[in-house]
Amino acid sequence: EQITTFSELEKVIRQVTTETRVIDMHTHLYAEAFNEHLLWGIDELLQYHYLTAEFFRHTDMTYDEYWMLDNASRAEAVWQTLFVDRSPLSEAASGVITALNRLGLSPTQYGRDLNAYRAALAAKSTSQQIDDVLEVAKIERIVMTNDPFDAKEREVWQASRGKSDARFDAALRIDKLLLDWPAAAQDLRVQGYLVEDDASAPSTLQEVRRFLKDWALRMDALYLMVSLPGDAGYEHNKAASVTSSSLTILLDGAVVPVCLELGLPLALMIGVRRQVNPLLRLAGDMSMRSDLSLLEGIAKRYTNLELLITVLARENQHELTVLSRKFRNITLFGCWWFLHTESMIRELTAFRVELLGTSFIPQHSDCRVLEQLINKWDHSRGIIADILISKYNRLLKDGWGITEEEIRRDVEAYFGGNFQRVLDKAKQNRQLIQGT
Ligand code: REL
Ligand code: ZN
């Protein structure tokens, strides 16, 4: 039952990429127990920060005027400006239309009337919407972004409600620890960890490790994660006499040891320049080129550390893909943020297949609003399918008959298996260290 014709190949690949359930390995979505942390519905879709930035390119409203509005009024302003007064052509805007349409709220029927969409969604409960969206988007599991520095979120974990929905896994997010050290130290003290402002004190590092382990275990976190600016200084080959940055001290002295001890990967998202325009709030972040010697240094130094890596600048993509070939503990993932667009996903995915075959994770959604799972995965699946069709077709033309099972195997690796394998490898490495 080998596939022999192009049309058969195309049909099978479209079907398999549409059907295969996904593990979405990085999102900003939450299980229902996290209450207001989980954003969903049309008003939230319209307030997505990608759209906020696009809205301000057209409106005369001042930033203050916008931020003073309530949620409903903000949504209305964005709808009017980006969807009624002009066409929603951008990736983020067209994504809203895809999500609505695939949820059964056809724009053909509901038109340009925001209240019609609102009314159609009004009767839905949160749990029903979670079920429906996960079904339509064919999502098996979702990894959240869990911040132990967020007091509201801590309450949910402390009440043991964080793991009540098996479809949602945790990731321990440590940006504040690594990027805002003196302030993080203060937070740790309030949480009962005896740390000093000087991160390099051995007792302080021990307490930071205790903090990380407590939270990783409480959350049952799948990995630890940080997003870094492109010029984050990690000094991997510096003379011992020179004082290190707190980032270096904390990575070497706490974060990496805890990952190795617990058998968890470290995820690095590299190349963000925060708050280029603070008036835009969450929408005010930018991308920047990264010096990937940071990554090279970590990968080389800690060969037992599994690294999940994405970078934000298009200019770094070629280098990251090549670097992934050099270090098997690097697994590249996703088309992040400003790269999560049709043309960029197409370019990056094709190149990655060409250099890495099936040994990478093509996509994560980075969703902030539940229904975005639908459009982000729908668009990504379609593009990934286009690329796979052309790659398998090359094999087909050279007489390498392919079966549907083989295609399924490869797509399952891309959509979840490769991520699972990184988790498994990290666990195995732990056993190696402990000699068990
Ligand atoms: O996890 C991150 O650091 C980023 O993905 C977010 O900060 C960003 O705002 C997100 O919405 C991008 O897609
Ligand atoms: Zn993110």
Side-chain angles (χ1 to χ4, degrees), residues 138-150:
K138 298 244 177 310
I139 307 293
E140 186 172 298
R141 277 159 67 201
I142 291 174
V143 184
M144 309 180 275
T145 294
N146 303 99
D147 184 358
F149 294 97
D150 177 329

PDB file of all heavy atoms in Angstrom, residues 138-150:
ATOM      1  N   LYS A 138      -8.013  20.344  17.346  1.00  0.00           N
ATOM      2  CA  LYS A 138      -7.342  19.044  17.497  1.00  0.00           C
ATOM      3  C   LYS A 138      -6.067  19.169  18.333  1.00  0.00           C
ATOM      4  O   LYS A 138      -4.960  18.846  17.896  1.00  0.00           O
ATOM      5  CB  LYS A 138      -7.017  18.442  16.125  1.00  0.00           C
ATOM      6  CG  LYS A 138      -8.241  18.168  15.278  1.00  0.00           C
ATOM      7  CD  LYS A 138      -8.394  16.680  15.022  1.00  0.00           C
ATOM      8  CE  LYS A 138      -9.640  16.317  14.249  1.00  0.00           C
ATOM      9  NZ  LYS A 138     -10.881  16.883  14.762  1.00  0.00           N
ATOM     10  N   ILE A 139      -6.258  19.655  19.535  1.00  0.00           N
ATOM     11  CA  ILE A 139      -5.154  19.813  20.479  1.00  0.00           C
ATOM     12  C   ILE A 139      -5.286  18.761  21.569  1.00  0.00           C
ATOM     13  O   ILE A 139      -6.352  18.604  22.170  1.00  0.00           O
ATOM     14  CB  ILE A 139      -5.190  21.209  21.152  1.00  0.00           C
ATOM     15  CG1 ILE A 139      -5.251  22.330  20.115  1.00  0.00           C
ATOM     16  CG2 ILE A 139      -3.989  21.378  22.096  1.00  0.00           C
ATOM     17  CD1 ILE A 139      -4.039  22.494  19.277  1.00  0.00           C
ATOM     18  N   GLU A 140      -4.198  18.045  21.799  1.00  0.00           N
ATOM     19  CA  GLU A 140      -4.224  17.009  22.818  1.00  0.00           C
ATOM     20  C   GLU A 140      -3.825  17.572  24.177  1.00  0.00           C
ATOM     21  O   GLU A 140      -4.486  17.344  25.185  1.00  0.00           O
ATOM     22  CB  GLU A 140      -3.250  15.907  22.413  1.00  0.00           C
ATOM     23  CG  GLU A 140      -3.269  14.702  23.306  1.00  0.00           C
ATOM     24  CD  GLU A 140      -2.405  13.612  22.699  1.00  0.00           C
ATOM     25  OE1 GLU A 140      -2.721  13.152  21.587  1.00  0.00           O
ATOM     26  OE2 GLU A 140      -1.387  13.259  23.322  1.00  0.00           O
ATOM     27  N   ARG A 141      -2.717  18.305  24.193  1.00  0.00           N
ATOM     28  CA  ARG A 141      -2.233  18.875  25.449  1.00  0.00           C
ATOM     29  C   ARG A 141      -1.698  20.273  25.199  1.00  0.00           C
ATOM     30  O   ARG A 141      -1.190  20.575  24.122  1.00  0.00           O
ATOM     31  CB  ARG A 141      -1.112  18.015  26.029  1.00  0.00           C
ATOM     32  CG  ARG A 141      -1.631  16.826  26.827  1.00  0.00           C
ATOM     33  CD  ARG A 141      -0.585  15.756  26.947  1.00  0.00           C
ATOM     34  NE  ARG A 141       0.552  16.168  27.747  1.00  0.00           N
ATOM     35  CZ  ARG A 141       1.760  15.591  27.682  1.00  0.00           C
ATOM     36  NH1 ARG A 141       1.969  14.605  26.849  1.00  0.00           N
ATOM     37  NH2 ARG A 141       2.728  16.006  28.464  1.00  0.00           N
ATOM     38  N   ILE A 142      -1.796  21.084  26.241  1.00  0.00           N
ATOM     39  CA  ILE A 142      -1.368  22.478  26.158  1.00  0.00           C
ATOM     40  C   ILE A 142      -0.385  22.733  27.289  1.00  0.00           C
ATOM     41  O   ILE A 142      -0.658  22.378  28.425  1.00  0.00           O
ATOM     42  CB  ILE A 142      -2.586  23.397  26.349  1.00  0.00           C
ATOM     43  CG1 ILE A 142      -3.519  23.285  25.155  1.00  0.00           C
ATOM     44  CG2 ILE A 142      -2.165  24.838  26.589  1.00  0.00           C
ATOM     45  CD1 ILE A 142      -4.810  24.055  25.346  1.00  0.00           C
ATOM     46  N   VAL A 143       0.747  23.338  26.972  1.00  0.00           N
ATOM     47  CA  VAL A 143       1.670  23.720  28.035  1.00  0.00           C
ATOM     48  C   VAL A 143       1.450  25.201  28.362  1.00  0.00           C
ATOM     49  O   VAL A 143       1.495  26.055  27.472  1.00  0.00           O
ATOM     50  CB  VAL A 143       3.135  23.443  27.655  1.00  0.00           C
ATOM     51  CG1 VAL A 143       4.051  23.762  28.841  1.00  0.00           C
ATOM     52  CG2 VAL A 143       3.309  21.991  27.222  1.00  0.00           C
ATOM     53  N   MET A 144       1.208  25.459  29.644  1.00  0.00           N
ATOM     54  CA  MET A 144       0.954  26.828  30.106  1.00  0.00           C
ATOM     55  C   MET A 144       2.292  27.529  30.371  1.00  0.00           C
ATOM     56  O   MET A 144       3.351  26.946  30.214  1.00  0.00           O
ATOM     57  CB  MET A 144       0.158  26.790  31.423  1.00  0.00           C
ATOM     58  CG  MET A 144      -1.085  25.923  31.390  1.00  0.00           C
ATOM     59  SD  MET A 144      -1.990  25.900  32.982  1.00  0.00           S
ATOM     60  CE  MET A 144      -1.112  24.616  33.897  1.00  0.00           C
ATOM     61  N   THR A 145       2.217  28.789  30.769  1.00  0.00           N
ATOM     62  CA  THR A 145       3.395  29.546  31.227  1.00  0.00           C
ATOM     63  C   THR A 145       3.128  29.906  32.672  1.00  0.00           C
ATOM     64  O   THR A 145       2.244  30.727  32.948  1.00  0.00           O
ATOM     65  CB  THR A 145       3.579  30.823  30.377  1.00  0.00           C
ATOM     66  OG1 THR A 145       3.903  30.424  29.034  1.00  0.00           O
ATOM     67  CG2 THR A 145       4.700  31.701  30.913  1.00  0.00           C
ATOM     68  N   ASN A 146       3.841  29.280  33.606  1.00  0.00           N
ATOM     69  CA  ASN A 146       3.472  29.408  35.015  1.00  0.00           C
ATOM     70  C   ASN A 146       4.539  30.154  35.801  1.00  0.00           C
ATOM     71  O   ASN A 146       5.679  29.717  35.894  1.00  0.00           O
ATOM     72  CB  ASN A 146       3.213  28.020  35.585  1.00  0.00           C
ATOM     73  CG  ASN A 146       2.125  27.309  34.795  1.00  0.00           C
ATOM     74  OD1 ASN A 146       2.427  26.482  33.928  1.00  0.00           O
ATOM     75  ND2 ASN A 146       0.889  27.663  35.032  1.00  0.00           N
ATOM     76  N   ASP A 147       4.102  31.255  36.350  1.00  0.00           N
ATOM     77  CA  ASP A 147       5.032  32.218  36.939  1.00  0.00           C
ATOM     78  C   ASP A 147       4.929  32.207  38.466  1.00  0.00           C
ATOM     79  O   ASP A 147       3.948  32.683  39.029  1.00  0.00           O
ATOM     80  CB  ASP A 147       4.675  33.601  36.385  1.00  0.00           C
ATOM     81  CG  ASP A 147       5.646  34.666  36.854  1.00  0.00           C
ATOM     82  OD1 ASP A 147       6.561  34.342  37.630  1.00  0.00           O
ATOM     83  OD2 ASP A 147       5.477  35.826  36.433  1.00  0.00           O
ATOM     84  N   PRO A 148       5.959  31.695  39.138  1.00  0.00           N
ATOM     85  CA  PRO A 148       5.906  31.633  40.605  1.00  0.00           C
ATOM     86  C   PRO A 148       6.042  33.011  41.244  1.00  0.00           C
ATOM     87  O   PRO A 148       5.949  33.129  42.467  1.00  0.00           O
ATOM     88  CB  PRO A 148       7.103  30.744  40.956  1.00  0.00           C
ATOM     89  CG  PRO A 148       8.065  30.946  39.843  1.00  0.00           C
ATOM     90  CD  PRO A 148       7.232  31.174  38.606  1.00  0.00           C
ATOM     91  N   PHE A 149       6.281  34.034  40.427  1.00  0.00           N
ATOM     92  CA  PHE A 149       6.347  35.397  40.957  1.00  0.00           C
ATOM     93  C   PHE A 149       4.986  36.099  40.863  1.00  0.00           C
ATOM     94  O   PHE A 149       4.859  37.253  41.218  1.00  0.00           O
ATOM     95  CB  PHE A 149       7.418  36.205  40.208  1.00  0.00           C
ATOM     96  CG  PHE A 149       8.802  35.676  40.450  1.00  0.00           C
ATOM     97  CD1 PHE A 149       9.406  34.812  39.544  1.00  0.00           C
ATOM     98  CD2 PHE A 149       9.496  36.020  41.603  1.00  0.00           C
ATOM     99  CE1 PHE A 149      10.673  34.302  39.780  1.00  0.00           C
ATOM    100  CE2 PHE A 149      10.766  35.522  41.854  1.00  0.00           C
ATOM    101  CZ  PHE A 149      11.352  34.659  40.936  1.00  0.00           C
ATOM    102  N   ASP A 150       3.990  35.402  40.327  1.00  0.00           N
ATOM    103  CA  ASP A 150       2.652  35.970  40.187  1.00  0.00           C
ATOM    104  C   ASP A 150       1.803  35.513  41.387  1.00  0.00           C
ATOM    105  O   ASP A 150       1.490  34.325  41.522  1.00  0.00           O
ATOM    106  CB  ASP A 150       2.059  35.469  38.863  1.00  0.00           C
ATOM    107  CG  ASP A 150       0.629  35.948  38.633  1.00  0.00           C
ATOM    108  OD1 ASP A 150      -0.121  36.130  39.625  1.00  0.00           O
ATOM    109  OD2 ASP A 150       0.255  36.117  37.468  1.00  0.00           O
TER     110      ASP A 150
END
